[in-house]
Amino acid sequence: MLKDLFAKKRKYATIPSDRVKQDVPEGLMTKCPVCKSIMTTKELNKAHKVCVSCDHHFRMTAKERINLIIDQGTFKEINQEMQTENPLNFPNYLETIEKDQKKTGINEAVVTGKGDIDGHSIVFAVMDAHFRMGSMGSVVGEKITRAIEVATDEQKPFIIFTASGGARMQEGVLSLMQMAKTSVALKRHHEEGLLFISVMTHPTTGGVSASFASVGDYNFAEPQALIGFAGRRIIEQTIRQELPEDFQTAEFLMKHGQLDAVIHRTKMKATLANVLDIHEGGEE
């Protein structure tokens, strides 16, 4: 009797995987990695990729970020034609780059350009973690440096949205050199009395966090963004201590004076516009 009862339960509780695939088309639904809520992808995109249940900020592509922040019709990309090479002859490096180019529709892990934020003309860079985890190679560093130099020449504010796993190992010391190059360009921009705003998104780590991402006149971040240099496990092994649960989150850095503000994605454009307005008014 019990055997028959359990057999019936299994019959009604099991749904063939092939039927699930038929009933729910791929990409139609998205599951939040934090609260496990399931929502339609359309609903998530409408909310600017912020979970409607727990406010978790999903990663955005560079193009999605530009559409959210830059005034419609004002975006003009610069240095789009720059292509990565393989200076150290790292095995299969260019093949992986080509795969990410096809997957993301961009040439490298950063998009640079000019545009307006609520009518304020700026030069900007947006890193994309969907491309080689936003890692910084020679082309990424060069594109950011050239964008900063354009901002300096045209006497405009420079804004960057960072998202990166750090320096790109396939380019060795050449990728580490980008830390100094971008920082020198920002120094020259600063000496002209121009505004630099850094917005750190999830994740901003390694050489990126240790260079241009952390030297803004304003350092902002999105909620719960991972920000740091070395990984949590490495630090714990080095200092032989257990770190706080919220270590290297945007909120932890804000609490310890390393950020100026943690800003919700839906309020980011208005906040940036407000800061630009204040500084533009100050110049007059």
Side-chain angles (χ1 to χ4, degrees):
M1 184 73 177
L2 287 174
K3 185 177 179 181
D4 292 340
L5 180 60
F6 287 139
K8 288 181 179 179
K9 284 187 177 180
R10 283 197 298 271
K11 179 179 178 181
Y12 290 106
T14 303
I15 302 175
S17 59
D18 57 345
R19 180 169 176 188
V20 173
K21 291 179 181 178
Q22 291 176 4
D23 293 345
V24 183
E26 185 177 355
L28 182 64
M29 309 297 291
T30 300
K31 184 177 182 180
C32 177
V34 177
C35 70
K36 310 305 179 185
S37 296
I38 298 176
M39 67 209 88
T40 65
T41 302
K42 184 178 180 180
E43 180 184 22
L44 179 64
N45 291 336
K46 189 176 180 181
H48 306 303
K49 287 198 166 181
V50 177
C51 178
V52 296
S53 297
C54 72
D55 235 20
H56 169 67
H57 284 48
F58 285 75
R59 290 176 187 163
M60 296 188 89
T61 66
K63 292 179 179 179
E64 289 170 335
R65 184 80 63 182
I66 291 166
N67 289 335
L68 176 65
I69 299 297
I70 303 300
D71 295 348
Q72 186 174 4
T74 67
F75 166 61
K76 182 180 179 182
E77 188 169 357
I78 58 177
N79 295 313
Q80 181 182 10
E81 73 288 348
M82 293 184 67
Q83 294 280 352
T84 292
E85 296 184 356
N86 191 1
L88 303 183
N89 294 318
F90 197 93
N92 302 316
Y93 179 40
L94 292 183
E95 286 80 359
T96 61
I97 292 294
E98 290 175 4
K99 287 179 182 178
D100 273 14
Q101 287 174 338
K102 292 177 181 178
K103 180 181 71 175
T104 62
I106 57 179
N107 283 348
E108 252 298 346
V110 66
V111 175
T112 56
K114 304 177 185 179
D116 294 352
I117 296 180
D118 203 16
H120 298 281
S121 182
I122 65 158
V123 180
F124 64 92
V126 181
M127 302 187 77
D128 194 330
H130 298 84
F131 193 113
R132 295 289 90 201
M133 199 53 212
S135 55
M136 178 176 61
S138 300
V139 169
V140 170
E142 183 66 18
K143 288 184 71 173
I144 292 172
T145 300
R146 290 190 186 188
I148 298 167
E149 290 173 344
V150 169
T152 304
D153 292 342
E154 298 185 5
Q155 296 288 290
K156 292 180 179 179
F158 178 68
I159 298 177
I160 188 167
F161 284 83
T162 60
S164 178
R168 190 173 294 175
M169 68 174 188
Q170 292 90 342
E171 296 186 30
V173 71
L174 296 174
S175 63
L176 296 177
M177 289 169 60
Q178 309 310 311
M179 297 171 63
K181 184 168 68 178
T182 52
S183 297
V184 169
L186 284 170
K187 173 65 174 173
R188 292 170 179 161
H189 184 263
H190 174 75
E191 288 172 347
E192 291 291 319
L194 300 169
L195 177 66
F196 168 42
I197 302 175
S198 175
V199 184
M200 289 169 263
T201 71
H202 181 80
T204 296
T205 59
V208 169
S209 70
S211 55
F212 55 84
S214 302
V215 295
D217 296 305
Y218 293 89
N219 291 320
F220 297 145
E222 287 191 331
Q224 291 298 310
L226 173 67
I227 303 168
F229 183 65
R232 180 191 187 97
R233 181 169 53 85
I234 298 299
I235 296 174
E236 287 184 331
Q237 290 175 353
T238 301
I239 66 174
R240 301 183 185 281
Q241 293 181 24
E242 186 175 343
L243 297 168
E245 187 66 29
D246 64 345
F247 181 69
Q248 291 185 326
T249 63
E251 289 74 12
F252 181 89
L253 269 66
M254 179 69 186
K255 181 180 177 182
H256 290 80
Q258 299 298 307
L259 290 174
D260 295 300
V262 178
I263 305 169
H264 194 280
R265 184 173 293 164
T266 58
K267 298 179 180 179
M268 185 64 73
K269 181 174 182 176
T271 301
L272 294 175
N274 198 24
V275 173
L276 291 167
D277 191 51
I278 291 170
H279 282 264
E280 191 171 276
E283 291 174 2
E284 296 175 353

